[in-house]
PDB file of all heavy atoms in Angstrom:
ATOM      1  N   ASN R  94     -12.885   7.034  -2.728  1.00  0.00           N
ATOM      2  CA  ASN R  94     -11.664   7.746  -2.348  1.00  0.00           C
ATOM      3  C   ASN R  94     -10.876   6.816  -1.420  1.00  0.00           C
ATOM      4  O   ASN R  94     -11.326   5.702  -1.129  1.00  0.00           O
ATOM      5  CB  ASN R  94     -11.975   9.115  -1.704  1.00  0.00           C
ATOM      6  CG  ASN R  94     -12.430   9.001  -0.251  1.00  0.00           C
ATOM      7  OD1 ASN R  94     -12.751   7.926   0.246  1.00  0.00           O
ATOM      8  ND2 ASN R  94     -12.490  10.117   0.436  1.00  0.00           N
ATOM      9  N   ILE R  95      -9.696   7.255  -0.943  1.00  0.00           N
ATOM     10  CA  ILE R  95      -8.874   6.279  -0.215  1.00  0.00           C
ATOM     11  C   ILE R  95      -9.424   5.946   1.183  1.00  0.00           C
ATOM     12  O   ILE R  95      -8.965   4.994   1.806  1.00  0.00           O
ATOM     13  CB  ILE R  95      -7.367   6.638  -0.134  1.00  0.00           C
ATOM     14  CG1 ILE R  95      -7.077   7.793   0.783  1.00  0.00           C
ATOM     15  CG2 ILE R  95      -6.747   6.871  -1.459  1.00  0.00           C
ATOM     16  CD1 ILE R  95      -5.581   7.848   1.105  1.00  0.00           C
ATOM     17  N   PHE R  96     -10.405   6.690   1.656  1.00  0.00           N
ATOM     18  CA  PHE R  96     -10.930   6.398   2.996  1.00  0.00           C
ATOM     19  C   PHE R  96     -12.279   5.657   2.953  1.00  0.00           C
ATOM     20  O   PHE R  96     -12.843   5.335   4.003  1.00  0.00           O
ATOM     21  CB  PHE R  96     -11.065   7.697   3.796  1.00  0.00           C
ATOM     22  CG  PHE R  96      -9.779   8.490   3.827  1.00  0.00           C
ATOM     23  CD1 PHE R  96      -9.626   9.647   3.077  1.00  0.00           C
ATOM     24  CD2 PHE R  96      -8.704   8.040   4.587  1.00  0.00           C
ATOM     25  CE1 PHE R  96      -8.424  10.356   3.087  1.00  0.00           C
ATOM     26  CE2 PHE R  96      -7.502   8.744   4.598  1.00  0.00           C
ATOM     27  CZ  PHE R  96      -7.364   9.905   3.843  1.00  0.00           C
ATOM     28  N   ILE R 112     -10.159   6.886  -7.227  1.00  0.00           N
ATOM     29  CA  ILE R 112     -10.021   7.946  -8.236  1.00  0.00           C
ATOM     30  C   ILE R 112      -8.605   8.541  -8.259  1.00  0.00           C
ATOM     31  O   ILE R 112      -8.078   8.836  -9.315  1.00  0.00           O
ATOM     32  CB  ILE R 112     -11.105   9.036  -8.094  1.00  0.00           C
ATOM     33  CG1 ILE R 112     -10.943   9.812  -6.786  1.00  0.00           C
ATOM     34  CG2 ILE R 112     -12.512   8.466  -8.215  1.00  0.00           C
ATOM     35  CD1 ILE R 112     -11.506  11.213  -6.881  1.00  0.00           C
ATOM     36  N   GLU R 113      -7.976   8.668  -7.072  1.00  0.00           N
ATOM     37  CA  GLU R 113      -6.620   9.236  -7.055  1.00  0.00           C
ATOM     38  C   GLU R 113      -5.644   8.291  -7.772  1.00  0.00           C
ATOM     39  O   GLU R 113      -4.712   8.729  -8.447  1.00  0.00           O
ATOM     40  CB  GLU R 113      -6.129   9.455  -5.609  1.00  0.00           C
ATOM     41  CG  GLU R 113      -6.936  10.471  -4.811  1.00  0.00           C
ATOM     42  CD  GLU R 113      -8.024   9.814  -3.961  1.00  0.00           C
ATOM     43  OE1 GLU R 113      -8.614   8.816  -4.410  1.00  0.00           O
ATOM     44  OE2 GLU R 113      -8.277  10.308  -2.846  1.00  0.00           O
ATOM     45  N   SER R 140      -6.316  25.825  -9.377  1.00  0.00           N
ATOM     46  CA  SER R 140      -5.691  25.518  -8.086  1.00  0.00           C
ATOM     47  C   SER R 140      -6.213  24.217  -7.454  1.00  0.00           C
ATOM     48  O   SER R 140      -5.764  23.827  -6.390  1.00  0.00           O
ATOM     49  CB  SER R 140      -5.915  26.681  -7.109  1.00  0.00           C
ATOM     50  OG  SER R 140      -7.297  26.843  -6.906  1.00  0.00           O
ATOM     51  N   LEU R 141      -7.135  23.512  -8.127  1.00  0.00           N
ATOM     52  CA  LEU R 141      -7.610  22.233  -7.564  1.00  0.00           C
ATOM     53  C   LEU R 141      -6.490  21.192  -7.661  1.00  0.00           C
ATOM     54  O   LEU R 141      -5.726  21.166  -8.634  1.00  0.00           O
ATOM     55  CB  LEU R 141      -8.845  21.746  -8.354  1.00  0.00           C
ATOM     56  CG  LEU R 141      -9.462  20.424  -7.880  1.00  0.00           C
ATOM     57  CD1 LEU R 141     -10.126  20.582  -6.516  1.00  0.00           C
ATOM     58  CD2 LEU R 141     -10.501  19.910  -8.891  1.00  0.00           C
ATOM     59  N   CYS R 142      -6.420  20.354  -6.656  1.00  0.00           N
ATOM     60  CA  CYS R 142      -5.421  19.270  -6.617  1.00  0.00           C
ATOM     61  C   CYS R 142      -5.462  18.458  -7.921  1.00  0.00           C
ATOM     62  O   CYS R 142      -6.539  18.113  -8.415  1.00  0.00           O
ATOM     63  CB  CYS R 142      -5.767  18.405  -5.414  1.00  0.00           C
ATOM     64  SG  CYS R 142      -5.197  16.713  -5.499  1.00  0.00           S
ATOM     65  N   SER R 143      -4.272  18.147  -8.460  1.00  0.00           N
ATOM     66  CA  SER R 143      -4.227  17.503  -9.782  1.00  0.00           C
ATOM     67  C   SER R 143      -4.732  16.060  -9.778  1.00  0.00           C
ATOM     68  O   SER R 143      -5.076  15.531 -10.836  1.00  0.00           O
ATOM     69  CB  SER R 143      -2.815  17.570 -10.347  1.00  0.00           C
ATOM     70  OG  SER R 143      -1.897  17.163  -9.373  1.00  0.00           O
ATOM     71  N   TYR R 144      -4.788  15.418  -8.602  1.00  0.00           N
ATOM     72  CA  TYR R 144      -5.414  14.084  -8.567  1.00  0.00           C
ATOM     73  C   TYR R 144      -6.875  14.227  -8.980  1.00  0.00           C
ATOM     74  O   TYR R 144      -7.410  13.428  -9.728  1.00  0.00           O
ATOM     75  CB  TYR R 144      -5.360  13.486  -7.148  1.00  0.00           C
ATOM     76  CG  TYR R 144      -4.004  12.921  -6.776  1.00  0.00           C
ATOM     77  CD1 TYR R 144      -3.129  13.632  -5.964  1.00  0.00           C
ATOM     78  CD2 TYR R 144      -3.600  11.680  -7.240  1.00  0.00           C
ATOM     79  CE1 TYR R 144      -1.891  13.124  -5.628  1.00  0.00           C
ATOM     80  CE2 TYR R 144      -2.364  11.167  -6.914  1.00  0.00           C
ATOM     81  CZ  TYR R 144      -1.507  11.884  -6.100  1.00  0.00           C
ATOM     82  OH  TYR R 144      -0.282  11.385  -5.776  1.00  0.00           O
ATOM     83  N   HIS R 145      -7.507  15.269  -8.454  1.00  0.00           N
ATOM     84  CA  HIS R 145      -8.923  15.482  -8.749  1.00  0.00           C
ATOM     85  C   HIS R 145      -9.127  16.038 -10.158  1.00  0.00           C
ATOM     86  O   HIS R 145     -10.033  15.618 -10.867  1.00  0.00           O
ATOM     87  CB  HIS R 145      -9.547  16.415  -7.697  1.00  0.00           C
ATOM     88  CG  HIS R 145      -9.744  15.712  -6.392  1.00  0.00           C
ATOM     89  ND1 HIS R 145     -10.929  15.125  -6.037  1.00  0.00           N
ATOM     90  CD2 HIS R 145      -8.873  15.445  -5.392  1.00  0.00           C
ATOM     91  CE1 HIS R 145     -10.792  14.536  -4.854  1.00  0.00           C
ATOM     92  NE2 HIS R 145      -9.550  14.728  -4.445  1.00  0.00           N
ATOM     93  N   THR R 168     -13.428  12.979   4.679  1.00  0.00           N
ATOM     94  CA  THR R 168     -12.096  13.019   5.304  1.00  0.00           C
ATOM     95  C   THR R 168     -11.048  13.789   4.490  1.00  0.00           C
ATOM     96  O   THR R 168     -11.082  13.757   3.268  1.00  0.00           O
ATOM     97  CB  THR R 168     -11.564  11.565   5.462  1.00  0.00           C
ATOM     98  OG1 THR R 168     -12.655  10.713   5.746  1.00  0.00           O
ATOM     99  CG2 THR R 168     -10.505  11.454   6.515  1.00  0.00           C
ATOM    100  N   ALA R 169     -10.120  14.398   5.186  1.00  0.00           N
ATOM    101  CA  ALA R 169      -8.873  14.988   4.652  1.00  0.00           C
ATOM    102  C   ALA R 169      -9.032  16.219   3.773  1.00  0.00           C
ATOM    103  O   ALA R 169      -8.388  17.223   4.019  1.00  0.00           O
ATOM    104  CB  ALA R 169      -8.027  13.948   3.935  1.00  0.00           C
ATOM    105  N   CYS R 170      -9.824  16.160   2.706  1.00  0.00           N
ATOM    106  CA  CYS R 170      -9.884  17.375   1.894  1.00  0.00           C
ATOM    107  C   CYS R 170     -11.288  17.592   1.346  1.00  0.00           C
ATOM    108  O   CYS R 170     -12.035  16.640   1.133  1.00  0.00           O
ATOM    109  CB  CYS R 170      -8.866  17.321   0.768  1.00  0.00           C
ATOM    110  SG  CYS R 170      -9.247  16.138  -0.494  1.00  0.00           S
ATOM    111  N   ASP R 171     -11.613  18.861   1.140  1.00  0.00           N
ATOM    112  CA  ASP R 171     -12.960  19.163   0.683  1.00  0.00           C
ATOM    113  C   ASP R 171     -13.139  18.890  -0.803  1.00  0.00           C
ATOM    114  O   ASP R 171     -14.251  18.958  -1.329  1.00  0.00           O
ATOM    115  CB  ASP R 171     -13.359  20.602   1.048  1.00  0.00           C
ATOM    116  CG  ASP R 171     -12.275  21.606   0.724  1.00  0.00           C
ATOM    117  OD1 ASP R 171     -11.323  21.205   0.032  1.00  0.00           O
ATOM    118  OD2 ASP R 171     -12.374  22.761   1.156  1.00  0.00           O
ATOM    119  N   ALA R 172     -12.019  18.559  -1.491  1.00  0.00           N
ATOM    120  CA  ALA R 172     -12.136  18.260  -2.928  1.00  0.00           C
ATOM    121  C   ALA R 172     -13.006  17.018  -3.140  1.00  0.00           C
ATOM    122  O   ALA R 172     -13.771  16.931  -4.106  1.00  0.00           O
ATOM    123  CB  ALA R 172     -10.752  18.049  -3.521  1.00  0.00           C
ATOM    124  N   ASN R 173     -12.896  16.058  -2.203  1.00  0.00           N
ATOM    125  CA  ASN R 173     -13.604  14.781  -2.334  1.00  0.00           C
ATOM    126  C   ASN R 173     -15.080  14.918  -2.662  1.00  0.00           C
ATOM    127  O   ASN R 173     -15.556  14.386  -3.656  1.00  0.00           O
ATOM    128  CB  ASN R 173     -13.501  14.010  -1.013  1.00  0.00           C
ATOM    129  CG  ASN R 173     -12.202  13.238  -0.952  1.00  0.00           C
ATOM    130  OD1 ASN R 173     -11.812  12.642  -1.944  1.00  0.00           O
ATOM    131  ND2 ASN R 173     -11.548  13.262   0.190  1.00  0.00           N
ATOM    132  N   HIS R 305       3.286  11.989   3.151  1.00  0.00           N
ATOM    133  CA  HIS R 305       2.307  12.216   2.082  1.00  0.00           C
ATOM    134  C   HIS R 305       2.671  11.513   0.781  1.00  0.00           C
ATOM    135  O   HIS R 305       3.461  10.561   0.787  1.00  0.00           O
ATOM    136  CB  HIS R 305       2.086  13.715   1.878  1.00  0.00           C
ATOM    137  CG  HIS R 305       0.719  14.025   1.338  1.00  0.00           C
ATOM    138  ND1 HIS R 305       0.471  15.123   0.550  1.00  0.00           N
ATOM    139  CD2 HIS R 305      -0.454  13.377   1.447  1.00  0.00           C
ATOM    140  CE1 HIS R 305      -0.812  15.145   0.215  1.00  0.00           C
ATOM    141  NE2 HIS R 305      -1.389  14.090   0.744  1.00  0.00           N
ATOM    142  N   VAL R 306       2.084  12.017  -0.346  1.00  0.00           N
ATOM    143  CA  VAL R 306       2.221  11.322  -1.631  1.00  0.00           C
ATOM    144  C   VAL R 306       3.641  11.463  -2.183  1.00  0.00           C
ATOM    145  O   VAL R 306       4.385  12.367  -1.790  1.00  0.00           O
ATOM    146  CB  VAL R 306       1.214  11.871  -2.675  1.00  0.00           C
ATOM    147  CG1 VAL R 306      -0.187  11.472  -2.316  1.00  0.00           C
ATOM    148  CG2 VAL R 306       1.330  13.393  -2.821  1.00  0.00           C
ATOM    149  N   MET R 331       1.224   7.710   4.680  1.00  0.00           N
ATOM    150  CA  MET R 331      -0.101   7.329   4.162  1.00  0.00           C
ATOM    151  C   MET R 331      -0.363   5.836   4.374  1.00  0.00           C
ATOM    152  O   MET R 331      -1.503   5.414   4.485  1.00  0.00           O
ATOM    153  CB  MET R 331      -0.174   7.604   2.656  1.00  0.00           C
ATOM    154  CG  MET R 331      -0.219   9.046   2.302  1.00  0.00           C
ATOM    155  SD  MET R 331      -0.197   9.242   0.527  1.00  0.00           S
ATOM    156  CE  MET R 331      -1.864   8.852   0.133  1.00  0.00           C
ATOM    157  N   TYR R 357      -5.293  10.964   8.989  1.00  0.00           N
ATOM    158  CA  TYR R 357      -5.564  12.043   8.028  1.00  0.00           C
ATOM    159  C   TYR R 357      -6.891  12.750   8.319  1.00  0.00           C
ATOM    160  O   TYR R 357      -7.252  13.696   7.644  1.00  0.00           O
ATOM    161  CB  TYR R 357      -5.559  11.501   6.590  1.00  0.00           C
ATOM    162  CG  TYR R 357      -4.157  11.456   5.994  1.00  0.00           C
ATOM    163  CD1 TYR R 357      -3.229  10.519   6.417  1.00  0.00           C
ATOM    164  CD2 TYR R 357      -3.753  12.367   5.022  1.00  0.00           C
ATOM    165  CE1 TYR R 357      -1.942  10.477   5.883  1.00  0.00           C
ATOM    166  CE2 TYR R 357      -2.474  12.342   4.476  1.00  0.00           C
ATOM    167  CZ  TYR R 357      -1.578  11.382   4.915  1.00  0.00           C
ATOM    168  OH  TYR R 357      -0.305  11.368   4.390  1.00  0.00           O
ATOM    169  N   ARG R 364      -2.147  13.837  12.592  1.00  0.00           N
ATOM    170  CA  ARG R 364      -1.263  13.256  11.571  1.00  0.00           C
ATOM    171  C   ARG R 364       0.205  13.469  11.963  1.00  0.00           C
ATOM    172  O   ARG R 364       1.038  12.581  11.816  1.00  0.00           O
ATOM    173  CB  ARG R 364      -1.560  13.902  10.208  1.00  0.00           C
ATOM    174  CG  ARG R 364      -0.921  13.136   9.104  1.00  0.00           C
ATOM    175  CD  ARG R 364      -1.223  13.667   7.727  1.00  0.00           C
ATOM    176  NE  ARG R 364      -0.039  13.448   6.916  1.00  0.00           N
ATOM    177  CZ  ARG R 364       0.413  14.275   6.003  1.00  0.00           C
ATOM    178  NH1 ARG R 364      -0.255  15.374   5.727  1.00  0.00           N
ATOM    179  NH2 ARG R 364       1.508  13.997   5.343  1.00  0.00           N
ATOM    180  N   CYS R 384       4.885  18.634  -0.347  1.00  0.00           N
ATOM    181  CA  CYS R 384       3.710  19.505  -0.486  1.00  0.00           C
ATOM    182  C   CYS R 384       3.197  19.398  -1.901  1.00  0.00           C
ATOM    183  O   CYS R 384       3.756  19.992  -2.819  1.00  0.00           O
ATOM    184  CB  CYS R 384       4.089  20.957  -0.199  1.00  0.00           C
ATOM    185  SG  CYS R 384       4.440  21.221   1.508  1.00  0.00           S
ATOM    186  N   HIS R 385       2.154  18.617  -2.041  1.00  0.00           N
ATOM    187  CA  HIS R 385       1.571  18.410  -3.366  1.00  0.00           C
ATOM    188  C   HIS R 385       0.823  19.677  -3.782  1.00  0.00           C
ATOM    189  O   HIS R 385      -0.009  20.196  -3.025  1.00  0.00           O
ATOM    190  CB  HIS R 385       0.622  17.214  -3.295  1.00  0.00           C
ATOM    191  CG  HIS R 385      -0.148  16.956  -4.537  1.00  0.00           C
ATOM    192  ND1 HIS R 385       0.443  16.462  -5.679  1.00  0.00           N
ATOM    193  CD2 HIS R 385      -1.461  17.128  -4.825  1.00  0.00           C
ATOM    194  CE1 HIS R 385      -0.481  16.330  -6.615  1.00  0.00           C
ATOM    195  NE2 HIS R 385      -1.643  16.731  -6.127  1.00  0.00           N
ATOM    196  N   TRP R 386       1.112  20.133  -4.995  1.00  0.00           N
ATOM    197  CA  TRP R 386       0.540  21.381  -5.491  1.00  0.00           C
ATOM    198  C   TRP R 386      -0.994  21.333  -5.446  1.00  0.00           C
ATOM    199  O   TRP R 386      -1.599  20.367  -5.917  1.00  0.00           O
ATOM    200  CB  TRP R 386       1.037  21.612  -6.919  1.00  0.00           C
ATOM    201  CG  TRP R 386       0.880  23.016  -7.373  1.00  0.00           C
ATOM    202  CD1 TRP R 386       1.710  24.061  -7.091  1.00  0.00           C
ATOM    203  CD2 TRP R 386      -0.177  23.519  -8.177  1.00  0.00           C
ATOM    204  NE1 TRP R 386       1.224  25.184  -7.687  1.00  0.00           N
ATOM    205  CE2 TRP R 386       0.071  24.885  -8.357  1.00  0.00           C
ATOM    206  CE3 TRP R 386      -1.303  22.958  -8.760  1.00  0.00           C
ATOM    207  CZ2 TRP R 386      -0.751  25.707  -9.096  1.00  0.00           C
ATOM    208  CZ3 TRP R 386      -2.138  23.763  -9.494  1.00  0.00           C
ATOM    209  CH2 TRP R 386      -1.862  25.124  -9.659  1.00  0.00           C
ATOM    210  N   GLY R 387      -1.616  22.323  -4.835  1.00  0.00           N
ATOM    211  CA  GLY R 387      -3.081  22.374  -4.785  1.00  0.00           C
ATOM    212  C   GLY R 387      -3.654  21.679  -3.569  1.00  0.00           C
ATOM    213  O   GLY R 387      -4.855  21.693  -3.352  1.00  0.00           O
ATOM    214  N   CYS R 388      -2.779  21.042  -2.742  1.00  0.00           N
ATOM    215  CA  CYS R 388      -3.281  20.322  -1.570  1.00  0.00           C
ATOM    216  C   CYS R 388      -3.149  21.198  -0.333  1.00  0.00           C
ATOM    217  O   CYS R 388      -2.048  21.392   0.188  1.00  0.00           O
ATOM    218  CB  CYS R 388      -2.514  19.013  -1.385  1.00  0.00           C
ATOM    219  SG  CYS R 388      -3.029  18.138   0.102  1.00  0.00           S
ATOM    220  N   LYS R 389      -4.275  21.689   0.146  1.00  0.00           N
ATOM    221  CA  LYS R 389      -4.238  22.586   1.316  1.00  0.00           C
ATOM    222  C   LYS R 389      -3.806  21.799   2.540  1.00  0.00           C
ATOM    223  O   LYS R 389      -3.175  22.307   3.444  1.00  0.00           O
ATOM    224  CB  LYS R 389      -5.612  23.205   1.550  1.00  0.00           C
ATOM    225  CG  LYS R 389      -6.052  24.108   0.423  1.00  0.00           C
ATOM    226  CD  LYS R 389      -7.379  24.781   0.790  1.00  0.00           C
ATOM    227  CE  LYS R 389      -8.183  25.167  -0.431  1.00  0.00           C
ATOM    228  NZ  LYS R 389      -9.123  24.161  -0.903  1.00  0.00           N
ATOM    229  N   GLU R 390      -4.185  20.517   2.575  1.00  0.00           N
ATOM    230  CA  GLU R 390      -3.858  19.653   3.716  1.00  0.00           C
ATOM    231  C   GLU R 390      -2.334  19.604   3.933  1.00  0.00           C
ATOM    232  O   GLU R 390      -1.850  19.837   5.033  1.00  0.00           O
ATOM    233  CB  GLU R 390      -4.377  18.241   3.428  1.00  0.00           C
ATOM    234  CG  GLU R 390      -4.901  17.481   4.627  1.00  0.00           C
ATOM    235  CD  GLU R 390      -3.843  16.739   5.391  1.00  0.00           C
ATOM    236  OE1 GLU R 390      -2.787  16.440   4.826  1.00  0.00           O
ATOM    237  OE2 GLU R 390      -4.079  16.462   6.577  1.00  0.00           O
ATOM    238  N   SER R 391      -1.590  19.339   2.833  1.00  0.00           N
ATOM    239  CA  SER R 391      -0.146  19.197   3.020  1.00  0.00           C
ATOM    240  C   SER R 391       0.553  20.527   3.237  1.00  0.00           C
ATOM    241  O   SER R 391       1.394  20.648   4.133  1.00  0.00           O
ATOM    242  CB  SER R 391       0.499  18.406   1.875  1.00  0.00           C
ATOM    243  OG  SER R 391       0.117  18.889   0.623  1.00  0.00           O
ATOM    244  N   SER R 392       0.203  21.560   2.443  1.00  0.00           N
ATOM    245  CA  SER R 392       0.935  22.816   2.642  1.00  0.00           C
ATOM    246  C   SER R 392       0.539  23.487   3.954  1.00  0.00           C
ATOM    247  O   SER R 392       1.387  24.040   4.657  1.00  0.00           O
ATOM    248  CB  SER R 392       0.771  23.757   1.452  1.00  0.00           C
ATOM    249  OG  SER R 392      -0.547  23.742   1.013  1.00  0.00           O
ATOM    250  N   ALA R 416       2.539  15.515  -7.689  1.00  0.00           N
ATOM    251  CA  ALA R 416       2.737  14.077  -7.867  1.00  0.00           C
ATOM    252  C   ALA R 416       2.032  13.533  -9.107  1.00  0.00           C
ATOM    253  O   ALA R 416       2.175  12.365  -9.436  1.00  0.00           O
ATOM    254  CB  ALA R 416       2.254  13.334  -6.620  1.00  0.00           C
TER     255      ALA R 416
HETATM  256  S1  LIG B  29      -3.404  15.393  -2.327  1.00  0.00           S
HETATM  257 FE1  LIG B  29      -4.483  16.673  -0.828  1.00  0.00          FE
HETATM  258  S2  LIG B  29      -6.090  17.735  -2.000  1.00  0.00           S
HETATM  259 FE2  LIG B  29      -5.344  16.008  -3.254  1.00  0.00          FE
HETATM  260  S3  LIG B  29      -6.703  14.294  -2.794  1.00  0.00           S
HETATM  261 FE3  LIG B  29      -4.973  14.121  -1.377  1.00  0.00          FE
HETATM  262  S4  LIG B  29      -5.579  15.250   0.487  1.00  0.00           S
HETATM  263 FE4  LIG B  29      -6.993  15.857  -1.177  1.00  0.00          FE
END
Side-chain angles (χ1 to χ4, degrees):
N94 78 347
I95 71 165
F96 307 106
I112 66 154
E113 296 95 324
S140 61
L141 180 69
C142 156
S143 48
Y144 282 101
H145 286 265
T168 325
C170 70
D171 46 11
N173 276 318
H305 207 209
V306 290
M331 289 176 78
Y357 275 72
R364 193 177 146 218
C384 290
H385 174 71
W386 198 81
C388 177
K389 295 185 206 91
E390 215 274 338
S391 50
S392 42

